[in-house]
Amino acid sequence: MRILKGLRPEAALRYFEEICAIPHGSRDTKRISDYCVRFAKEHGLKYIQDANNNVVIYKPASAGYENHPTVIVQGHLDMVCEKDPDCDIDFSKDGLRLRCDGKYIFAEGTTLGGDDGIAVAYALAVLESNELRHPPIEAVFTVDEEIGMLGAEAMDMSVLQGRILLNCDSEDEGILTVSCAGGATSTISKPIQREAADGPIWRMAVKDLIGGHSGVEINSGRANANKVLAQILKDLPVRLVRIDGGSKDNAIPRAAEAIVAADAPESAFFARAEEIRKTLPEAETEVQFICEPAKSDLLPMTEEDSRQTLALLNALPNGVQKMSCDIENLVQTSLNLGILTTQNDCVTMTFSVRSSVNTEKTELIERLRQIGESYGGSYAESGAYPAWEYQKQSRLRDTMLEVFREQYGHEAVVEAIHAGLECGIFADRLPGLDAVSFGPQMYDIHTSRERLDLASTERTWNYLVEVLARL
């Protein structure tokens, strides 16, 4: 029994329901990829399926549009699989239990996968139709976007002729995203040596800072616990045993702690902590500082390594480095010291580096490398992805703004985000690409409360149809 039967847009929601019946979590995309291939075969459309399960389906232009530039319609096949503790769904073999209350589409006890199943459904409905007006279409379905844009990164984009990209991976109706940050995970490792030292062992800590996502809240007045603790310890007569804080490079750490060897350091620690408290953002009202006796099986670092480790931590940049001159309130370049860990023979400092200007990202990474090496550290990098740089001139953006104004009666919001999108990889590989990301309204994505706004889904479908006709 079809749950969404009779709802509009009919074809798109029919395909969405079929997609929801197929397990398609990240790294489990073969079945959903094969579904797209079957669709192409059934409709007599040329397709390519690569070894990673990415799929491209080609559709010729409708009558009169044969000489118009090819348009890429793109979304990703994988979904985030989360569920309530009492839900018995097995994401590896069960489909979702779709529900609709007349206003929202959701799944019982699980994520819905509207991110990004609705994009795939829109594209399939476009490919199926013999009535829509459109240029040549290249429908691109990537995989494993949710775990690092792995499908787009591995894809051979020489199979694409289009240089106009409609990315349907946005969750806010009325917002046209036109730029995103590129990034990398940068790690500095500082070798250390240890030796016996006099003095009892203490635990010194900072906790209960606000924290947050470094791509969203980096300019929202959130202090970084790793940096705060390093500031406090820098001039104190202590020998580090270890210093640790944070667990994810893209999360602003809420807490950090150091184990140190020192003689009666409490008064100096709290005095210095109070000095630092006065410099914290106004929002950090709940921060706590701790200094208490502790134990450790490790010897302290040498005095020189302890001093240099703290000096390095204080010398390394953190937070917003530059704001955009083109887009109001957009963080253009930033970094976040998200993970600080101590092993027996080294201290590692891991950053999430972001910039919507590729040259600035490269320059910031080089700055990190130079600072780390100047203190005897080494540099390593992983997970690099390119920025999708803002284009001051964009025919696609102008067309989409015009159509939105006509259909909605007000202006769309044009924005850039300080996080990564697949558009950055496409723009890096396809010279001259003109791209916009948009989508229908969704709420609480990646949670079991995820829901897709039904009326917005229809409006966004009508918007996509008219944009294709104008192109």
Side-chain angles (χ1 to χ4, degrees), residues 390-460:
Y390 175 73
Q391 296 185 40
K392 293 185 179 181
Q393 303 297 324
S394 166
R395 173 176 174 256
L396 176 60
R397 183 175 69 238
D398 292 345
T399 300
M400 295 185 72
L401 285 170
E402 179 183 8
V403 173
F404 189 93
R405 189 182 306 117
E406 293 174 4
Q407 290 195 345
Y408 286 80
H410 61 87
E411 296 292 334
V413 175
V414 176
E415 73 166 21
I417 63 171
H418 196 56
L421 291 175
E422 287 178 302
C423 292
I425 297 174
F426 282 89
D428 185 59
R429 307 271 184 85
L430 301 175
L433 185 72
D434 195 0
V436 171
S437 180
F438 69 106
Q441 189 65 51
M442 285 178 261
Y443 300 94
D444 296 321
I445 64 168
H446 301 179
T447 76
S448 60
R449 302 182 304 281
E450 181 181 355
R451 57 201 188 278
L452 174 64
D453 187 297
L454 187 57
S456 175
T457 301
E458 183 177 10
R459 288 192 299 266
T460 304

Side-chain angles (χ1 to χ4, degrees), residues 74-76 78-80 104 112-119 122 145-146 167-177 216 415 417 419-422 437-447 450-453 456-457 459-460:
Q74 189 264 324
H76 62 85
D78 62 313
M79 66 172 283
V80 171
Y104 299 111
L112 174 66
D115 173 20
D116 198 22
I118 193 59
Y122 280 158
E145 187 271 351
E146 299 289 5
N167 167 273
C168 303
D169 192 16
S170 178
E171 298 85 40
D172 294 297
E173 184 184 14
I175 293 179
L176 305 182
T177 302
V216 179
E415 73 166 21
I417 63 171
L421 291 175
E422 287 178 302
S437 180
F438 69 106
Q441 189 65 51
M442 285 178 261
Y443 300 94
D444 296 321
I445 64 168
H446 301 179
T447 76
E450 181 181 355
R451 57 201 188 278
L452 174 64
D453 187 297
S456 175
T457 301
R459 288 192 299 266
T460 304

Side-chain angles (χ1 to χ4, degrees), residues 272-288:
R272 178 63 177 153
E274 288 306 311
E275 291 177 8
I276 298 301
R277 185 196 298 271
K278 297 174 184 177
T279 70
L280 296 180
E282 291 184 3
E284 297 290 5
T285 59
E286 303 298 321
V287 60
Q288 295 188 50

Side-chain angles (χ1 to χ4, degrees), residues 71-195:
V71 175
I72 301 169
V73 179
Q74 189 264 324
H76 62 85
L77 294 173
D78 62 313
M79 66 172 283
V80 171
C81 295
E82 293 290 338
K83 64 180 182 177
D84 291 334
D86 59 350
C87 179
D88 63 355
I89 288 279
D90 182 344
F91 285 111
S92 70
K93 62 182 181 180
D94 297 330
L96 306 179
R97 296 168 184 156
L98 282 191
R99 299 289 183 266
C100 181
D101 62 7
K103 185 175 182 181
Y104 299 111
I105 301 169
F106 54 96
E108 185 180 299
T110 69
T111 41
L112 174 66
D115 173 20
D116 198 22
I118 193 59
V120 180
Y122 280 158
L124 295 178
V126 169
L127 294 171
E128 175 195 69
S129 175
N130 294 318
E131 300 175 357
L132 299 181
R133 299 173 297 151
H134 59 77
I137 298 290
E138 295 174 334
V140 179
F141 307 128
T142 53
V143 298
D144 297 340
E145 187 271 351
E146 299 289 5
I147 54 174
M149 301 181 286
L150 303 182
E153 179 63 36
M155 183 177 169
D156 175 10
M157 295 194 183
S158 67
V159 302
L160 301 176
Q161 299 300 312
R163 292 299 183 268
I164 299 171
L165 172 64
L166 295 172
N167 167 273
C168 303
D169 192 16
S170 178
E171 298 85 40
D172 294 297
E173 184 184 14
I175 293 179
L176 305 182
T177 302
V178 297
S179 173
C180 74
T185 299
S186 297
T187 299
I188 294 172
S189 297
K190 169 72 173 73
I192 57 171
Q193 294 184 338
R194 299 180 180 275
E195 64 181 14

Side-chain angles (χ1 to χ4, degrees), residues 298-350:
L298 291 172
L299 293 174
M301 301 177 198
T302 65
E303 185 174 348
E304 179 63 11
D305 281 343
S306 180
R307 183 190 66 78
Q308 285 216 345
T309 297
L310 291 172
L312 172 57
L313 282 167
N314 281 280
L316 289 166
N318 187 77
V320 176
Q321 303 298 297
K322 188 174 181 180
M323 300 294 291
S324 172
C325 297
D326 295 314
I327 300 177
E328 187 176 0
N329 297 322
L330 172 67
V331 177
Q332 183 162 293
T333 304
S334 77
L335 74 168
N336 174 62
L337 176 52
I339 308 174
L340 174 61
T341 59
T342 304
Q343 291 81 42
N344 187 54
D345 59 354
C346 71
V347 178
T348 60
M349 307 155 197
T350 302

